[in-house]
Amino acid sequence: MSLEEVKARGWKELDIILISGDAYVDHSSFGTAIIGRVLEDAGFRVGVIAQPRWDSPEDFKKLGKPRLFFSVSAGNTDSMVSNLTPGLKPRNKDAYSPGGRAGIRPNRAVIIYSNKIKEAFPEVPIVLGGIEASLRRFAHYDYLSDKVRQSILADAPADLIVYSMGELQIVEIAKRLQAGEDIRNIRNIPGTVWKTEVKAWKELKERAEKSDNRLNEKEQEKSEQEVTEQEKSEQKDEKIAEDAATFLKQYLEIPSFSEVSQDKTAFAKAFRIYFAEQNPVTGKGVVQPHPKTVIVQNRPMRLLTEAEMDHVYELPFTGETHPSYTEPVPALEMVKFSLTTHRGCFGGCAFCAITEHQGRMIASRSIESVLREAKKLTEKPDFKGIINGVGGPSANMYGMECKTWEKKGACLDKSCLYPRVCPALDTSHKKLLELLRRLRELPGVKQVFTGYGVRYDLALKDEEYLEELCAYHISGQLRIAPEHFSRQVTNAMCKPGREVYEKFTQKFTALNRKCGKEQYIVNYLMSGHPACTLEDMIEMAEYVRDHGGYTEQVQDFTPTPMTVSTCMYYTGLDPFTGKKVYVAKGKKEKAMQRALMHYRNPANYELVYEALEKAGRLDLVGNAHKCLIRRKGKW
């Protein structure tokens, strides 16, 4: 992170410099650390510039000019999410900054960082990566500006985007640049996005069209003729045209930026097409024309194998913040003694972008690899004997697979868990149970907790797992995410209905009673999601009232790029059926929806009353047991 550290390594220059909107934490839960360690492992000299000042290019010069390229990321989250609340107010804390200080990264960090790099080193290639770049790779609805923005590659002076999990792509890019290849010619790596001039793309399409026409003509020719020099030249042109046609067959063109920014039906159509191509087994490339450039997404990169996953997570991470920091980074405190077991999630929640970033298929580490990492945790001087998390995007999909994945990837026409768990899916928790048992037996490990991330509809398929979860792996509270209790809303979210939730809570209570423990469920709930009306929120408030599930763990839906829910929020359409979806967009209604979840809070009285009045439910105002609030002014 400094020239002094570069000299201490005996290096004269760096090959690659990673720019990040997060503080530098050398832990495998942080994307910059993984990419840095993977590149180092491949033999490259890597530097990191973390949270640079963006008012001038000076901070971007502090490690000198990299020999190969800059890689730019906003950090572990989109900069809008890091900086702003769902109400678009500045956050007062940033978990990825030293001391939790806010305001250290700009909004649209990837674009701003790229512009400053271009000022400082105009000739050095720039590769974008991380959540912000990955999920803004096509024209997308931007909540901050409330409009459709161009692909981030059209707005940033960069050469490539690495989308999804990027270890394989970034090493391939580095090796090809090392070999002297021009980054403008690196256009065939899966899991990357590149851009080309509108004129060049038009010419490519014209060549492909000529090839198709020529093939039709050849079918009508009946006799062979002597090949003249002119014909040789024509054959050469034909070969170029055929190559163009072959190339284009690997790609699907979706509605352009001009179309999707003006027509919501076109936006939904574009989303539906590229959503279906995020399959590393069957997916094609996707092309989207923009006014000044054409954005080309190559097919997705394959998943890492088990051996590759093991190798990545056993690279020599220190597990600590960089020694230059004098304050802790809160995000590390949450994961310092946790273990990543797998990537991907087949849950398919409409509001979640994991499907578009890590994919629906599960890539897991071996049990032995996870155990080796756990053993290293026990050797840390500040380890107190507690592993506080074991899992991935979910806690209980480790080692799971479907028999269809190898040949065709995750199904395009149905979800693995919604509206019910697919019978083709292997829902056995056997491998996870073996891992948890062996972790508990490790010397120095007192407890292994899984207090969050459990997909409860999946857990219901394996009572042995659920029983051991209650007996050994919960520290008093289990956090789960039913999100809502109205059927209309859970259908829009692609989440299980409340009958599945109730079955789980009953089983949870019974198993805790059996093992003699008093443990509780904490629900994560959401207001303002597409399809959610005031009536739905009142239904949820009544359900919470009747079942004793009052909670402060409520979030207002925030539209983030490339999710099904954001597409519905912007267009008012279900992109897969074309049916209209109700969307609460006004600040007042969103505030009323959220207030209904905190109806006991005196500060929300006026909003709750107004919501009940608007919905014609003033029967819920009064002194009766069923009422949510008392008469005005009387608590």
Side-chain angles (χ1 to χ4, degrees):
M1 280 184 65
S2 68
L3 286 176
E4 291 73 24
E5 289 173 329
V6 174
K7 290 173 184 175
R9 289 278 190 114
W11 297 344
K12 291 183 179 179
E13 63 179 347
L14 293 167
D15 297 319
I16 299 152
I17 296 176
L18 310 180
I19 309 292
S20 175
D22 291 343
Y24 181 56
V25 182
D26 192 28
H27 187 283
S28 58
S29 292
F30 293 75
T32 296
I34 288 183
I35 294 301
R37 288 294 183 187
V38 165
L39 286 167
E40 178 191 46
D41 182 62
F44 297 98
R45 298 166 296 185
V46 185
V48 175
I49 300 176
Q51 299 187 312
R53 290 177 58 94
W54 64 91
D55 52 356
S56 82
E58 293 310 307
D59 262 15
F60 299 85
K61 297 178 181 178
K62 68 180 184 180
L63 294 181
K65 177 182 173 182
R67 192 171 60 87
L68 298 178
F69 65 93
F70 281 97
S71 176
V72 180
S73 166
N76 269 21
T77 58
D78 189 284
S79 55
M80 185 198 82
V81 176
S82 295
N83 292 349
L84 303 168
T85 69
L88 297 179
K89 295 179 180 178
R91 292 189 188 275
N92 54 23
K93 290 182 181 178
D94 184 340
Y96 291 93
S97 296
R101 291 194 307 280
I104 303 180
R105 85 186 78 217
N107 292 333
R108 314 200 194 290
V110 167
I111 296 173
I112 290 175
Y113 291 162
S114 298
N115 279 316
K116 292 303 173 187
I117 291 168
K118 194 56 71 173
E119 277 186 55
F121 302 105
E123 72 284 7
V124 177
I126 300 174
V127 178
L128 310 181
I131 287 283
E132 180 163 297
S134 180
L135 299 182
R136 294 177 182 264
R137 58 191 185 261
F138 294 115
H140 56 279
Y141 172 70
D142 179 72
Y143 185 49
L144 178 58
S145 60
D146 190 28
K147 66 179 184 181
V148 176
R149 285 184 65 95
Q150 296 190 117
S151 162
I152 203 166
L153 195 57
D155 283 339
D159 300 282
L160 290 172
I161 294 174
V162 170
Y163 74 90
S164 300
M165 310 305 284
E167 294 96 340
L168 297 172
Q169 299 97 303
I170 203 73
V171 171
E172 179 70 11
I173 291 166
K175 286 180 176 178
R176 287 170 66 167
L177 290 174
Q178 174 97 299
E181 198 165 340
D182 189 320
I183 196 165
R184 289 169 295 186
N185 296 330
I186 299 178
R187 293 183 166 183
N188 62 346
I189 300 175
T192 62
V193 183
W194 47 280
K195 59 187 175 185
T196 187
E197 294 178 356
V198 174
K199 181 181 178 182
W201 187 257
K202 186 178 178 181
E203 288 173 353
L204 186 69
K205 291 175 72 174
E206 287 173 351
R207 284 184 201 140
E209 189 177 343
K210 285 179 181 177
S211 173
D212 290 339
N213 292 339
R214 181 59 183 148
L215 284 172
N216 291 334
E217 290 171 7
K218 279 186 175 181
E219 288 176 5
Q220 297 172 11
E221 291 178 0
K222 294 181 180 179
S223 60
E224 293 185 6
Q225 298 176 358
E226 185 179 348
V227 179
T228 65
E229 286 300 318
Q230 181 181 351
E231 287 170 332
K232 286 180 181 179
S233 175
E234 288 174 356
Q235 286 176 354
K236 185 177 179 181
D237 290 343
E238 283 178 20
K239 179 66 170 64
I240 293 172
E242 285 173 12
D243 288 346
T246 301
F247 176 81
L248 285 180
K249 285 175 184 176
Q250 302 172 50
Y251 293 87
L252 297 174
E253 186 167 318
I254 62 175
S256 68
F257 169 78
S258 299
E259 293 173 278
V260 302
S261 59
Q262 298 171 22
D263 182 346
K264 293 182 177 180
T265 303
F267 186 101
K269 178 183 178 181
F271 179 90
R272 183 173 66 253
I273 295 171
Y274 67 64
F275 184 91
E277 299 306 322
Q278 307 312 309
N279 182 327
V281 181
T282 63
K284 287 188 172 184
V286 179
V287 178
Q288 186 173 52
H290 282 57
K292 295 183 179 180
T293 191
V294 176
I295 302 299
V296 186
Q297 175 193 277
N298 290 342
R299 60 171 300 166
M301 177 57 83
R302 66 172 176 84
L303 302 184
L304 294 182
T305 64
E306 180 180 89
E308 288 169 335
M309 284 275 285
D310 289 354
H311 184 72
V312 167
Y313 282 93
E314 292 187 71
L315 290 171
F317 299 98
T318 65
E320 306 290 340
T321 57
H322 189 270
S324 63
Y325 298 129
T326 58
E327 298 174 284
V329 176
L332 174 61
E333 304 308 304
M334 293 185 275
V335 299
K336 188 171 185 179
F337 299 113
S338 67
L339 299 165
T340 298
T341 59
H342 64 280
R343 292 177 176 175
C345 179
F346 50 75
C349 299
F351 50 81
C352 182
I354 289 172
T355 299
E356 300 302 290
H357 191 67
Q358 291 194 10
R360 284 172 55 195
M361 297 189 295
I362 304 299
S364 297
R365 296 169 65 184
S366 70
I367 288 177
E368 296 303 326
S369 174
V370 180
L371 290 171
R372 286 192 292 268
E373 185 181 351
K375 188 175 183 300
K376 288 182 180 178
L377 290 183
T378 67
E379 295 166 359
K380 287 183 170 288
D382 53 345
F383 181 68
K384 307 298 183 187
I386 298 173
I387 295 174
N388 62 6
V390 179
S394 65
N396 59 323
M397 293 183 186
Y398 174 64
M400 292 187 180
E401 58 185 10
C402 175
K403 57 189 176 186
T404 68
W405 287 353
E406 187 176 350
K407 291 186 177 179
K408 67 174 188 177
C411 296
L412 300 178
D413 58 343
K414 59 183 177 180
S415 170
C416 299
L417 298 182
Y418 174 82
R420 61 191 63 83
V421 179
C422 178
L425 186 70
D426 176 9
T427 58
S428 169
H429 290 63
K430 183 178 179 180
K431 188 173 180 179
L432 176 56
L433 281 168
E434 182 186 347
L435 172 62
L436 292 172
R437 288 165 186 164
R438 293 181 66 181
L439 285 171
R440 296 201 303 264
E441 293 167 359
L442 276 181
V445 173
K446 298 174 184 176
Q447 293 172 305
V448 181
F449 290 136
T450 307
Y452 58 89
V454 172
R455 184 76 191 214
Y456 57 88
D457 48 350
L458 196 58
L460 280 170
K461 294 292 181 180
D462 196 321
E463 186 160 335
E464 186 181 12
Y465 165 73
L466 200 45
E467 188 165 351
E468 289 204 18
L469 179 71
C470 294
Y472 300 110
H473 301 294
I474 300 172
S475 178
Q477 294 182 339
L478 176 66
R479 294 171 173 81
I480 60 173
E483 305 295 359
H484 216 284
F485 297 117
S486 163
R487 170 71 69 182
Q488 176 171 276
V489 183
T490 54
N491 281 347
M493 292 176 167
C494 296
K495 294 283 287 188
R498 66 189 186 198
E499 68 282 355
V500 180
Y501 167 81
E502 287 168 354
K503 185 178 179 182
F504 178 81
T505 56
Q506 289 164 9
K507 182 70 72 174
F508 180 83
T509 301
L511 290 173
N512 277 293
R513 191 180 299 118
K514 180 180 176 181
C515 63
K517 293 203 168 189
E518 188 174 339
Q519 299 185 130
Y520 303 93
I521 285 175
V522 175
N523 296 314
Y524 285 96
L525 303 172
M526 186 183 294
S527 63
H529 189 274
C532 185
T533 64
L534 282 178
E535 289 75 14
D536 292 313
M537 287 306 297
I538 293 168
E539 180 183 344
M540 183 151 79
E542 290 185 283
Y543 185 86
V544 168
R545 174 202 65 199
D546 296 340
H547 293 80
Y550 190 84
T551 177
E552 293 298 318
Q553 306 296 331
V554 178
Q555 62 174 330
D556 191 24
F557 169 70
T558 304
T560 54
M562 227 171 181
T563 69
V564 177
S565 299
T566 297
C567 181
M568 289 193 288
Y569 179 88
Y570 171 64
T571 64
L573 300 169
D574 180 322
F576 306 113
T577 66
K579 292 180 180 178
K580 290 185 177 181
V581 177
Y582 175 81
V583 178
K585 284 193 174 181
K587 287 185 178 180
K588 186 64 174 287
E589 183 176 351
K590 286 174 72 69
M592 286 192 289
Q593 286 205 19
R594 182 170 181 127
L596 280 162
M597 282 311 306
H598 294 160
Y599 62 85
R600 292 181 188 172
N601 186 342
N604 288 334
Y605 183 90
E606 295 297 334
L607 280 170
V608 172
Y609 185 92
E610 187 175 350
L612 294 174
E613 184 177 43
K614 186 173 181 180
R617 292 301 308 275
L618 289 179
D619 58 299
L620 296 175
V621 179
N623 300 321
H625 175 70
K626 69 169 187 174
C627 293
L628 298 179
I629 57 175
R630 295 182 183 276
R631 294 290 175 193
K632 263 191 175 180
K634 297 177 182 180
W635 280 85

